[in-house]
Amino acid sequence: MTGLQVKRTYSFLLCLTFLGERTFGVLTKLDLMDKGTNALDVIEGRSYRLQHPWVGIVNRSQADINKNVDMIAARRKEQEYFETSPEYGHLAHKMGSEYLAKLLSKHLEVVIRQRIPSIIALINKTIDELNAELDRIGRPIGVDSGAQLYTILELCRAFDRVFKEHLDGGRPGGDRIYKVFDHQLPAALKKLPLDRHLSIKNVQKVVTEADGYQPHLIAPEQGYRRLIDGSIVYFKGPAEASVDAVVHFVLKELVRKSIAETEELKRFPTLRSDIAAASTEALERFRDESRKTVTRLVEMESSYLTVEFFRKLNSEPERTPGQAGSKADKHSKEKETVQNMDTFGDNYLRRIASNVSSYINMVCETLRLSIPKAVVHCQVREAKRNLLNHFYARIGRQEKERLGAMLDEDPALMERRTNIAKRLQLYKSARDEIDSVAWK
């Protein structure tokens, strides 16, 4: 190969070289150059300067390859060539394949040291992501009954927190209870058939039949009581409907939503079903107690009537216009009233209906305020405090096999957790290995 050919080859190689901090220049087969020519201008950086030094090497010739000359012998021969060469003797310590290997290794070490902080940061980020994924799908569960019981209780508490957040406004849904009291209950009370019950015809029938054969002496007291009792009975329907609406259409729906939104429960379908069943059972108990309470509230209103209200009533029957202004006939008119008490005019019956209606409106307002209090006390408050108390007592008595059955998992999820755990261990090992050698 002539010097001109060598220089053209150099030029071709240089055109293909990417210039930058990672670029090393290597000249091969320097022993094949024509006598009187050399590559010192390139090697010493005068023809083409790089950030890293040029290195000349002498590869094995084809004859060496054919003779199976090993690499150790070839490198020894290469070193002898540079040490005895008049052109490259002064650069012999910076020439050869062995020097090139050391130079590249040193540079690689420097680059690795520079990259170690970013590599460790990337590994730590991946470890955090894997830990977060494990936390999301759940860590492995211990096999002993104590660990299983602790896990079940923790999962129940996680569900309970979500459920309370719905009731307290941290999550949507609890406001529906207020809507039952603010809209449904008042609307139901307005629809009660009190007008029909207090119609003139019905009032006359009830008042007439109230005392049997006994005539009314002063006022139809028993008639009043019967009309009031008959009116108050109508309030049981809206009261019980409010109880059912809160239990069935609000609290049960909030239980379902809370179970679905509790991430920790998604891996345990059996435990989800058990918690749902226990919650429904508790809500039914609370509903029964609430029904008893609101029923008592309604019955209390008819058990004891407000005396002051009826003391103010005008018990005189309807008078004819001719009777209205005569003071002289006062005694005779009072006598006539007593004798004809069983025969009432329409205006008097209307006055009775109006008096009863006023009293019922007062009772209605009282119940409109007290029914929500009873429902909240017996259902909502109890659901917040004791929704799973019976369930806690039951699982505390369960055998190990039953506890394990409650914590069954999807096999695909278990396999996924195992794979994540293996990856996590590999990344942690890599980080520890890098930390052990990074600053040596």
Side-chain angles (χ1 to χ4, degrees), residues 247-418:
V247 169
H248 291 287
F249 300 110
V250 181
L251 293 181
K252 283 188 176 181
E253 175 64 17
L254 293 183
V255 166
R256 187 193 65 79
K257 290 180 63 176
S258 299
I259 291 176
E261 294 173 6
T262 305
E263 292 291 333
E264 298 89 338
L265 280 176
K266 292 183 177 179
R267 56 190 283 208
F268 304 114
T270 300
L271 183 58
R272 284 205 308 268
S273 299
D274 290 345
I275 290 178
S279 299
T280 301
E281 180 184 342
L283 291 179
E284 293 294 341
R285 289 197 308 272
F286 302 154
R287 181 186 67 168
D288 293 342
E289 184 61 31
S290 185
R291 274 191 169 191
K292 292 177 182 178
T293 302
V294 297
T295 301
R296 289 192 190 101
L297 287 176
V298 175
E299 292 173 348
M300 285 163 54
E301 292 295 336
S302 61
S303 299
Y304 186 82
L305 305 183
T306 306
V307 179
E308 288 76 9
F309 180 86
F310 292 98
R311 284 175 178 170
K312 300 176 182 179
L313 296 181
N314 183 1
S315 61
E316 291 186 1
E318 179 74 12
R319 297 177 178 178
T320 62
Q323 297 171 326
S326 176
K327 294 181 180 180
D329 297 334
K330 181 178 179 181
H331 179 71
S332 61
K333 291 175 182 178
E334 289 178 352
K335 184 176 180 180
E336 181 182 356
T337 298
V338 172
Q339 294 174 346
N340 298 286
M341 203 63 168
D342 56 334
T343 305
F344 300 109
D346 287 351
N347 288 340
Y348 185 68
L349 295 174
R350 290 191 185 94
R351 190 184 314 140
I352 293 176
S354 176
N355 292 336
V356 173
S357 178
S358 298
Y359 184 79
I360 294 301
N361 288 337
M362 182 180 67
V363 171
C364 180
E365 182 63 19
T366 300
L367 291 176
R368 187 184 68 81
L369 298 176
S370 60
I371 288 174
K373 294 178 181 180
V375 172
V376 170
H377 177 80
C378 296
Q379 290 176 268
V380 181
R381 192 191 68 160
E382 287 301 301
K384 287 177 64 176
R385 291 183 176 182
N386 305 314
L387 184 64
L388 295 179
N389 279 8
H390 286 259
F391 185 62
Y392 292 151
R394 282 206 305 269
I395 62 176
R397 298 189 294 266
Q398 297 291 343
E399 299 294 334
K400 178 181 178 181
E401 292 74 15
R402 175 55 183 159
L403 293 176
M406 295 173 69
L407 295 175
D408 64 329
E409 290 188 87
D410 183 357
L413 186 63
M414 297 175 65
E415 182 179 359
R416 182 180 176 188
R417 183 190 299 110
T418 301

Side-chain angles (χ1 to χ4, degrees), residues 53-77:
W54 285 84
V55 179
I57 62 174
V58 176
N59 294 334
R60 289 186 300 172
S61 65
Q62 187 61 44
D64 292 336
I65 296 174
N66 293 338
K67 294 177 182 179
N68 292 325
V69 177
D70 60 33
M71 294 302 297
I72 296 176
R75 287 186 179 180
R76 190 183 308 116
K77 182 179 178 181

Side-chain angles (χ1 to χ4, degrees), residues 68-112:
N68 292 325
V69 177
D70 60 33
M71 294 302 297
I72 296 176
R75 287 186 179 180
R76 190 183 308 116
K77 182 179 178 181
E78 178 187 51
Q79 192 62 31
E80 291 175 356
Y81 168 78
F82 284 115
E83 290 176 353
T84 59
S85 171
E87 291 89 358
Y88 308 113
H90 65 291
L91 297 174
H93 63 290
K94 295 183 179 180
M95 292 292 173
S97 301
E98 188 173 351
Y99 174 77
L100 177 62
K102 292 179 180 180
L103 184 65
L104 293 176
S105 296
K106 184 177 180 180
H107 179 71
L108 180 60
E109 181 181 349
V110 172
V111 171
I112 290 175

